[in-house]
Amino acid sequence: MTEDFHRIRRLPPYVFEHINPIKAKARANGVDIIDLGMGNPDLPTPDHIVAKLQETVLDPRTHRYSSSKGIPGLRKAQASYYGRRFGVKLNPDTQVVATLGSKEGFANMAQAITAPGDVVLVPNPTYPIHAFGFIMSGGVVRSMPADPNEDFLRSLDRAVRHSIPKPIALVLNYPANPTAYTADLDFYAAVVKYCKQHDIFILSDLAYSEIYFDDVPPPSILQIPGAIDISVEFTSMSKTYSMPGWRVGFAVGNERLIAALARVKSYLDYGAFTPIQVAATAALNGSDDVIDEVRKVYKLRRDVLVDSFCRSGWDIPSPKATMFAWAPIPAQFAHLGSLEFAKLLIQETGVAVAPGVGFGEYGDQYIRLAFVENEQRIRQAARNIKKLLGSHGSTGNVVPLSA
């Protein structure tokens, strides 16, 4: 009776289980850790959202069980958001479910649609729940390229032709965590056409829809005619409204898939605390100015990080979206792999990052950097790293972003 349970055996240790003890030990020794690892927003939730929560929580009627699929007002607000932002019309009663963050929604959708041995196509690297939601549900994951290009489409065709049984679903995530890749409507149209021809569901994670930097708003796959016949999309209020601990997200799209998710959730939870749902409704129905401010903060941090790290000798590609940079490990440390390099950074520089291997084996030569510290702290991280890189030789001719 000492063996791990079946589902636990299928899960590797979460990557931060390796990193967090090292961070804790360094802090205990008085080291000032600059934490660029977890994508945990440090910005405060806007005042009017907090005020609505405070107002609502004073009503004792809101302290009772809520609705697992979300209160009607919240679902209507999400449907209105999709209409304004994407021009997509949704029925809030049959095509929208509120979730406890997009992560919970994704995991429970996997539970709802996966039979043991079902094949699901998942990008690699990608956010862990995209793969492990299906692994925990008894499914089999087949890796796909993360970059939305022609190679992806060729790989999709190859995977469908050579998978037995035929895949039941394809996971998409653009803007992507951790790679920050973005997709356009032409790419979505090609994927939808192919998946409709082969009866494959599409699960699109659009959690970073509002964190973009080049005045090109990321599209929704549901903008493609006919996509709603096979697709569900997941969004989150965590980053958009700086509400990570509130745990509010959504699944929208195909009625059959939404009904399956709602049925599973009805057995598992009673939804978020009603005052949180009311406050989330106020956020969605309120001004977009707060979203613009969040976007400006992350854009400034991106620019500072890319520029200062480049000056330190570490060339960081500038992401078009998300709150992350996806950075190749400097050449002189590439032999370490991402986990050992992340440990080295904490020990030698006091900078914490997310090892790329935590997002899939094809991420092992990369590090994810989150824009969750202010500009001063980011510059300090770059100065600390410069000392490490300088002591191990040059990374080559690097041109600073400002040049």
Side-chain angles (χ1 to χ4, degrees):
M1 300 292 287
T2 59
E3 291 185 5
D4 282 338
F5 298 109
H6 170 68
R7 282 188 171 83
I8 302 302
R9 288 201 304 269
R10 303 196 77 192
L11 300 176
Y14 199 49
V15 66
F16 288 107
E17 292 181 18
H18 294 282
I19 299 299
N20 288 339
I22 300 173
K23 286 196 297 186
K25 182 178 179 180
R27 286 192 173 112
N29 290 331
V31 177
D32 176 25
I33 297 295
I34 302 173
D35 197 343
L36 306 177
M38 290 191 68
N40 192 3
D42 62 317
L43 304 178
T45 304
D47 291 343
H48 72 283
I49 302 174
V50 176
K52 178 56 72 173
L53 172 70
Q54 293 170 327
E55 171 193 330
T56 309
V57 81
L58 293 175
D59 183 351
R61 292 174 298 178
T62 66
H63 300 179
R64 307 181 74 180
Y65 291 128
S66 191
S67 167
S68 66
K69 67 184 294 186
I71 61 175
L74 179 58
R75 287 183 278 114
K76 289 178 182 177
Q78 176 68 352
S80 295
Y81 162 75
Y82 258 76
R84 295 191 310 270
R85 173 69 165 79
F86 303 112
V88 172
K89 185 177 181 181
L90 295 170
N91 183 331
D93 293 324
T94 60
Q95 294 177 318
V96 180
V97 167
T99 62
L100 303 178
S102 59
K103 187 175 184 178
E104 174 270 320
F106 208 99
N108 280 327
M109 179 63 79
Q111 292 280 353
I113 70 173
T114 309
D118 278 347
V119 176
V120 179
L121 307 177
V122 180
N124 188 338
T126 194
Y127 189 51
I129 197 63
H130 296 155
F132 289 104
F134 290 100
I135 289 172
M136 286 188 286
S137 302
V140 176
V141 168
R142 178 163 183 161
S143 292
M144 294 284 295
D147 201 346
N149 53 25
E150 288 297 323
D151 184 50
F152 181 100
L153 298 174
R154 288 190 291 270
S155 296
L156 173 60
D157 181 61
R158 186 165 57 248
V160 170
R161 286 188 288 109
H162 295 290
S163 293
I164 299 175
K166 185 192 75 176
I168 64 162
L170 167 68
V171 175
L172 299 178
N173 173 215
Y174 304 107
N177 178 7
T179 61
Y181 294 146
T182 57
D184 59 23
L185 286 174
D186 288 341
F187 172 79
Y188 282 145
V191 172
V192 168
K193 179 180 179 181
Y194 187 90
C195 289
K196 290 192 79 169
Q197 290 173 344
H198 294 85
D199 296 319
I200 297 170
F201 291 125
I202 299 172
L203 305 180
S204 170
D205 185 345
L206 194 62
Y208 296 91
S209 60
E210 300 301 342
I211 311 300
Y212 58 91
F213 307 125
D214 298 332
D215 299 321
V216 182
S220 162
I221 197 170
L222 297 180
Q223 292 175 244
I224 302 301
I228 204 165
D229 297 338
I230 58 170
S231 304
V232 162
E233 196 155 64
F234 299 84
T235 57
S236 169
M237 301 188 73
S238 295
K239 279 71 177 183
T240 305
Y241 293 96
S242 301
M243 298 171 63
W246 299 56
R247 308 313 302 134
V248 183
F250 300 92
V252 307
N254 177 263
E255 291 188 0
R256 181 186 173 201
L257 292 172
I258 292 296
L261 174 60
R263 185 167 181 182
V264 167
K265 281 179 60 64
S266 70
Y267 283 91
L268 298 176
D269 68 70
Y270 288 105
F273 186 37
T274 296
I276 289 178
Q277 296 195 49
V278 173
T281 303
L284 286 167
N285 289 335
S287 170
D288 287 343
D289 289 348
V290 297
I291 305 176
D292 294 338
E293 288 304 312
V294 167
R295 192 181 299 125
K296 288 176 183 176
V297 170
Y298 286 131
K299 183 178 188 300
L300 176 59
R301 292 180 179 181
R302 176 202 67 168
D303 292 345
V304 169
L305 187 146
V306 170
D307 185 67
S308 62
F309 274 56
C310 183
R311 291 176 182 276
S312 78
W314 189 356
D315 194 10
I316 307 289
S318 183
K320 295 180 180 179
T322 76
M323 55 185 291
F324 306 113
W326 185 238
I329 299 173
Q332 66 267 47
F333 298 103
H335 65 282
L336 295 177
S338 59
L339 182 57
E340 292 305 314
F341 181 61
K343 293 177 182 178
L344 180 69
L345 282 179
I346 295 175
Q347 294 163 350
E348 297 294 329
T349 72
V351 178
V353 299
V357 72
F359 305 95
E361 66 269 31
Y362 296 114
D364 197 28
Q365 287 301 304
Y366 292 82
I367 292 295
R368 192 193 71 178
L369 302 157
F371 310 147
V372 292
E373 296 268 14
N374 63 39
E375 301 90 76
Q376 180 181 349
R377 301 274 287 168
I378 291 172
R379 290 189 179 99
Q380 183 60 56
R383 288 192 291 269
N384 294 358
I385 288 172
K386 183 176 183 178
K387 297 175 184 176
L388 174 68
L389 297 182
S391 67
H392 286 76
S394 171
T395 58
N397 296 321
V398 178
V399 180
L401 178 68
S402 58

